[in-house]
Amino acid sequence: KVLSSRGPAMSKSVYSILSVKTGSNKKAKQFFDESYIPRKIGPYGLISEATVNVKPYFLTGAGGMLQTIIFGFAGMEITEKGLVQGNITHVPQGWGSITLKGIGTDNKTITVK
């Protein structure tokens, strides 16, 4: 293991996306949770850079968490045709579905169940 357990949030987001793409869905949810839960800071749930840092807001970490939902769980891909949904999606256990609104130039709504 190369990463520190207290290390940056964005690494776990990348691991989560890769886990979805390779079918390791349980691991994907674990990495997703590890990307933000230990880094949440008081009453508004802002995200710090590392578990030992109490100075929010860590935009790269928050962006990574959103990318996990969009490009990992919802399976979106950037192609020559624009932003399209690929064949690999995964709704984590305990989530009912994922809905993305305003996707692409035609503002599609995409729901993954």
Side-chain angles (χ1 to χ4, degrees):
K1 206 172 191 183
V2 177
L3 266 189
S4 164
S5 62
R6 300 183 305 174
M10 67 268 193
S11 299
K12 298 288 181 141
S13 299
V14 172
Y15 289 170
S16 182
I17 293 169
L18 294 173
S19 294
V20 171
K21 300 292 184 191
T22 60
S24 301
N25 296 331
K26 187 174 182 180
K27 202 72 168 158
K29 176 66 164 73
Q30 176 188 334
F31 284 133
F32 175 75
D33 289 346
E34 289 174 3
S35 77
Y36 80 97
I37 291 174
R39 294 160 176 80
K40 282 175 41 177
I41 297 175
Y44 304 109
L46 299 176
I47 299 173
S48 68
E49 182 171 2
T51 59
V52 295
N53 184 350
V54 294
K55 297 177 184 174
Y57 196 80
F58 183 48
L59 193 57
T60 309
M65 184 181 74
L66 291 173
Q67 287 186 47
T68 299
I69 295 169
I70 296 167
F71 297 106
F73 299 139
M76 301 304 293
E77 297 176 359
I78 299 172
T79 71
E80 291 178 4
K81 296 179 182 179
L83 190 61
V84 298
Q85 188 173 28
N87 295 326
I88 300 173
T89 63
H90 169 66
V91 178
Q93 185 175 3
W95 297 19
S97 63
I98 298 168
T99 300
L100 304 177
K101 296 179 180 183
I103 299 297
T105 56
D106 49 354
N107 290 318
K108 290 182 191 174
T109 296
I110 295 173
T111 300
V112 181
K113 296 181 180 187

